[in-house]
Amino acid sequence: MAPHDLRRPFKRRPISDQQKRRELSLLRQSQHRSDAQQRARNLASSVISLQSPSSPDVDPEELSEPMPDVDATGHESEASGFNIRQASSLRGPEARKWFASQLMLPEWMIDVPENLSRDWYVLARPAGKRCFVVSADGTTVSRLRNGSVLHHFPSALPGGARKKGVSGPAQSYSILDCIFHELDQTYYVIDMVCWRGYSLYECTAEFRFFWLQSKLDETGACDPPSFLHKFRFSVVPFYNCDQTGLHSAYTESSPYVKDGLLFYNKHAHYHTGNTPLVLIWKDERCSQYVIDTDNNGQVLNQQHIVLELQDDGKIVTSDDPPVVVNCLNADFIKQSGLTPGSLVRFAIGDGGLKCVDGKFEKADLQYISLSNRARAFADSYSKIMFQYMARHSPLKVEDLASMISHEDQQDKSPEVEMSG
C-alpha cells in the first residue's frame, strides 16, 4: 500500500448521499422487526423445492413438497404457501428479480464511510458466482442470483446429506450466502442467513460473522470433499477495518482469486436487496475487472449504463427509491419502440455526469439500444458513479487509509479542558 499523498484530501466533494442513507438504514432496522423466521423458511423452501427458471416450465403442483410454515394451531401458514407458489410461477426476468432480491447486495463505495476503523469489517471478495446454499432434509442445493440451480449435492452442513442413524428436527435447515470459486471448486462463505432453523436476518454482522466462524467448523463442512461432502466450504477471512486489517485484506495472498474488497458495517442486519451498509470497492491490484468491459473483455471507449423507463418518461436507476437520471420525450420513446419498464442502454458522452448529494444535476446520455433481455435490473446510482469515478477520479486505497489514520489521530487526541 503506497504512502498517502498529502496533497490529496481524504474528504471528497459531496457527490453522494451514501453516508446519510447509511445512518437512515441503521435507524430503520432498529425500528423495524419483521417475521424473520418465516422469511428464512420461505427462502429455504424456494431454493430447495422450486424448478430452476432455466428449466422447462412445469406445473407447480408437480414440484417437490416445500417445508411448511406451521403456526401454533398446527396449520400451514397461508403467507408461506402464497410466497412459495408465487415464486414457483416466476420465469425469466421476474424469477431473476425475485431471487436476486433475496440476497443482500452491496452498494459500490463512492465515499469513505465515517468511523471506518471502528464500525466496519473488511474482507477480500472471492471471484466467482454469488449464490445461496441451503441444506435441508438430507440434501444441499445452491442457487445463483438469477434463480437457476448451480449444484445439487450432499454436504456436511446440518441436514445436508442422508446419513444412516443421523436424524434431526424436520424443520431444521441452514442458509449460507456464498461465492462459488470455480478454480478450486470451493464455496467461500461470506455470510450466514439461517442456521439449524434459527434465522439470523435481524442479527448484526458482528454476531453473524462470529456464528459463521464457530458453527461452520463444528460440522466438518470445511474439510476436504468426500462421498457425503462433495464440495469444500471455507469462511472468507474478515478483519476489523483498521490500518492492519485493510492492509491484510488488500495485500495478503489468498487461496482464491480476489475480486475487490467488501466492507460490512458491524451493526448491519441481513438486509435483502441493495444496502449502503455493505460496500464493494475495487482497483487494478485487487480485481481483474474494475471498469466494465464488453463481451470480449475489452474496456469500452465510453461508459455504458442501463436505466429503466418509467410511465412519465423519466429514466431511473434500480435504487429504492429510484434516482432520476434524465427524461425522454414522448416522440423519441415512440420512435424507439420503448415501453414503460423497458431497460435501456446509454453511453455517457463527453459532457459527462454532474451529481450533488446523490442527485444528477447533469447527464450527457447517448441512446444505444434496449438492454439484453436476460437483464433483470437497471444499474444502481452507486455503480454508475463508481464506474464514472474509476475512469476520471478513482477512490484509491490511500483515501481509505487516510480516513483510518485521521480517525486514529482523533481517538488519540487528548481532550482539552476549558478553564474558567
Side-chain angles (χ1 to χ4, degrees):
M1 193 183 302
H4 176 61
D5 184 351
L6 296 178
R7 295 169 298 174
R8 182 184 182 86
F10 65 88
K11 285 285 189 183
R12 298 165 67 94
R13 60 192 177 87
I15 62 169
S16 163
D17 63 345
Q18 239 176 6
Q19 180 59 35
K20 190 186 303 180
R21 289 185 294 103
R22 278 190 284 270
E23 294 168 356
L24 186 59
S25 293
L26 287 170
L27 179 63
R28 281 176 176 169
Q29 75 178 21
S30 68
Q31 297 173 339
H32 176 68
R33 288 291 182 270
S34 63
D35 187 348
Q37 206 66 41
Q38 181 172 301
R39 290 169 62 197
R41 286 194 188 97
N42 289 342
L43 177 58
S45 298
S46 303
V47 172
I48 290 287
S49 306
L50 301 186
Q51 183 75 10
S52 170
S54 60
S55 303
D57 289 354
V58 297
D59 186 340
E61 296 298 323
E62 296 176 359
L63 298 175
S64 58
E65 189 69 21
M67 292 174 289
D69 184 12
V70 180
D71 61 22
T73 64
H75 296 91
E76 182 178 344
S77 162
E78 292 183 7
S80 174
F82 172 78
N83 285 337
I84 298 303
R85 294 188 189 98
Q86 184 183 49
S88 69
S89 66
L90 297 177
R91 294 293 182 271
E94 290 79 16
R96 287 190 288 275
K97 278 187 178 182
W98 190 86
F99 278 99
S101 68
Q102 307 308 303
L103 287 163
M104 181 160 67
L105 304 175
E107 290 194 5
W108 292 76
M109 184 187 286
I110 50 181
D111 62 30
V112 183
E114 295 179 2
N115 301 320
L116 184 61
S117 61
R118 293 185 290 273
D119 290 344
W120 293 78
Y121 292 123
V122 59
L123 55 92
R125 183 193 186 279
K129 298 175 180 177
R130 179 85 180 273
C131 58
F132 277 124
V133 175
V134 175
S135 63
D137 197 26
T139 191
T140 307
V141 177
S142 57
R143 275 189 192 265
L144 302 175
R145 58 180 293 180
N146 65 7
S148 62
V149 172
L150 178 59
H151 296 128
H152 196 291
F153 61 101
S155 77
L157 295 172
R162 298 190 184 279
K163 300 178 182 178
K164 289 184 179 180
V166 177
S167 62
Q171 299 305 309
S172 178
Y173 52 92
S174 298
I175 308 173
L176 301 178
D177 187 344
C178 301
I179 295 173
F180 183 70
H181 191 252
E182 197 80 38
L183 291 177
D184 60 2
Q185 295 286 289
T186 298
Y187 280 96
Y188 285 95
V189 189
I190 59 173
D191 214 330
M192 179 182 281
V193 182
C194 183
W195 189 253
R196 296 186 186 274
Y198 177 74
S199 172
L200 299 170
Y201 275 108
E202 292 179 351
C203 297
T204 64
E206 195 167 26
F207 180 83
R208 297 197 310 274
F209 285 12
F210 166 75
W211 258 45
L212 178 55
Q213 280 197 316
S214 60
K215 298 296 183 182
L216 201 63
D217 276 344
E218 296 172 358
T219 64
C222 298
D223 294 343
S226 62
F227 179 72
L228 290 176
H229 181 55
K230 187 173 182 180
F231 295 101
R232 180 173 175 264
F233 287 78
S234 181
V235 179
V236 176
F238 63 93
Y239 309 90
N240 286 313
C241 196
D242 51 23
Q243 295 286 10
T244 302
L246 179 62
H247 184 270
S248 297
Y250 183 65
T251 64
E252 287 185 0
S253 61
S254 64
Y256 51 81
V257 177
K258 293 182 183 179
D259 186 24
L261 300 183
L262 280 172
F263 296 81
Y264 278 75
N265 187 288
K266 295 179 181 180
H267 310 291
H269 296 175
Y270 194 94
H271 174 86
T272 56
N274 290 316
T275 174
L277 299 178
V278 182
L279 302 169
I280 179 76
W281 173 89
K282 299 181 181 184
D283 72 358
E284 289 78 6
R285 178 167 180 174
C286 67
S287 176
Q288 186 179 354
Y289 304 103
V290 180
I291 297 178
D292 285 345
T293 60
D294 61 17
N295 293 334
N296 298 318
Q298 300 298 313
V299 174
L300 300 166
N301 291 329
Q302 293 177 300
Q303 178 183 347
H304 287 192
I305 64 175
V306 174
L307 301 170
E308 182 175 347
L309 177 64
Q310 292 191 320
D311 293 336
D312 56 4
K314 293 176 181 176
I315 44 176
V316 300
T317 66
S318 62
D319 299 273
D320 183 18
V323 178
V324 177
V325 182
N326 215 321
C327 190
L328 304 180
N329 64 55
D331 290 339
F332 178 83
I333 292 173
K334 185 176 181 180
Q335 291 171 6
S336 303
L338 305 178
T339 57
S342 295
L343 296 179
V344 191
R345 184 174 296 276
F346 297 90
I348 297 177
D350 294 337
L353 302 174
K354 183 180 179 182
C355 305
V356 176
D357 290 334
K359 296 179 180 178
F360 288 97
E361 289 194 345
K362 183 185 74 171
D364 181 10
L365 301 183
Q366 300 169 357
Y367 173 75
I368 298 177
S369 64
L370 279 170
S371 180
N372 189 310
R373 289 184 63 185
R375 182 79 180 247
F377 292 102
D379 287 329
S380 66
Y381 174 83
S382 66
K383 180 182 179 181
I384 293 171
M385 290 310 304
F386 185 92
Q387 289 291 315
Y388 187 75
M389 289 162 55
R391 289 171 175 266
H392 301 280
S393 178
L395 185 64
K396 298 182 178 180
V397 70
E398 289 85 1
D399 296 316
L400 307 183
S402 175
M403 173 63 88
I404 294 171
S405 177
H406 176 75
E407 291 172 352
D408 289 345
Q409 289 173 8
Q410 283 187 323
D411 290 342
K412 293 175 183 177
S413 298
E415 293 185 5
V416 178
E417 294 187 4
M418 300 296 291
S419 58

